[in-house]
Amino acid sequence: MKLIFATHNAHKVAELNQLLPKSIKLLSLNDIGCHEEIEETGKSLEENSKIKADFIRNKYGLDCFADDSGLEVELLDGAPGVYSARYAGPNKDMEANIQKVWSELDGETNPKAWFRTVFYVYFSGKEYELAGRVEGTIIFEKRGTGGFGYDPIFVPKGYQKTFAELGEDVKNKIGHRAIATQSLLKIVKQNC
Ligand code: ITT
């Protein structure tokens, strides 16, 4: 079965491919030849995931889903949140984004944060909104080389290492997208 994941982010596709059974062939936007940047004009992860899924649904009429994810820091009232990719400016510079989180936190002790993801899904004639969240703290140095985005500065609750140090096995168990993917799997199984 083919399912389109409305993303250009190869890291996300690789992550999801490890979580879904082999019977599901996950296709990214690049795989279906869609090279347009879908404008994320929403004010929340919920709005943006629906905007991305609607774009593909309307253009191709195929079963698909989109996620919008972000890092939410408690002391920053949930920022960078929906603006995680462009927190420090329009060119999606992760180094600058991390520097900005650090400077806004100004050395606070163990600031609480969480990654949150929202999936908007069109599957078998129905639509669904699914969510996943993982809690942790921000550290003030970058540690580890795995993952992407804010992973080198995020230590999930119950661990001493960052997501970038822990690697894909742990992220695939407790990560925000892994949790939402479990719900996606239930829907796929119910409808097959
Ligand atoms: P698409 O919109 O094409 O899916 P994107 O990279 O812009 O790709 P999002 O809008 O969902 O992805 O995510 C916004 C940013 O949030 C992303 O660029 C990362 O900086 C951060 N982020 C999301 N998930 C993350 C994760 O699992 N680990 C670390 N950072 C993450």
Side-chain angles (χ1 to χ4, degrees):
M1 170 199 311
K2 287 181 183 163
L3 188 58
I4 296 168
F5 185 9
T7 181
H8 291 295
N9 184 325
H11 294 281
K12 286 188 188 174
V13 180
E15 244 182 54
L16 266 277
N17 253 327
Q18 295 193 345
L19 296 167
L20 291 168
K22 295 266 178 296
S23 55
I24 300 176
K25 175 124 180 62
L26 203 60
L27 299 176
S28 71
L29 294 183
N30 296 334
D31 293 330
I32 61 167
C34 175
H35 301 294
E36 288 163 77
E37 183 80 27
I38 306 169
E39 266 199 78
E40 297 180 30
T41 50
K43 299 244 173 318
S44 64
L45 301 178
E46 285 77 3
E47 281 178 30
N48 276 346
S49 60
K50 184 163 184 338
I51 287 170
K52 290 191 263 187
D54 282 353
F55 180 92
I56 297 306
R57 181 73 182 165
N58 294 336
K59 187 161 175 178
Y60 298 94
L62 298 169
D63 278 351
C64 63
F65 72 100
D67 90 316
D68 201 30
S69 319
L71 176 76
E72 299 180 337
V73 181
E74 186 177 61
L75 283 166
L76 304 181
D77 297 325
V82 70
Y83 305 109
S84 291
R86 297 177 180 80
Y87 194 40
N91 45 358
K92 291 189 169 184
D93 178 345
M94 253 347 276
E95 186 55 43
N97 289 338
I98 287 175
Q99 291 295 339
K100 184 166 177 189
V101 168
W102 283 341
S103 86
E104 306 256 309
L105 282 171
D106 197 21
E108 291 279 350
T109 314
N110 297 327
K112 192 172 162 189
W114 48 88
F115 280 116
R116 199 162 69 85
T117 193
V118 176
F119 283 10
Y120 204 86
V121 186
Y122 285 100
F123 192 75
S124 240
K126 293 191 201 128
E127 47 198 286
Y128 309 84
E129 188 184 273
L130 312 172
R133 172 181 161 126
V134 56
E135 300 207 1
T137 49
I138 299 297
I139 57 163
F140 291 89
E141 59 175 328
K142 283 168 74 178
R143 296 203 322 234
T145 52
F148 68 100
Y150 296 92
D151 283 343
I153 64 163
F154 181 82
V155 176
K157 199 171 171 182
Y159 293 80
Q160 305 296 324
K161 293 182 173 176
T162 66
F163 260 162
E165 291 175 299
L166 289 165
E168 58 194 28
D169 285 354
V170 173
K171 204 173 171 192
N172 285 346
K173 263 193 219 126
I174 64 163
H176 46 311
R177 260 184 305 282
I179 293 166
T181 304
Q182 294 313 322
S183 306
L184 176 64
L185 260 180
K186 275 190 204 145
I187 288 167
V188 170
K189 282 183 185 151
Q190 276 163 13
N191 288 280
C192 286

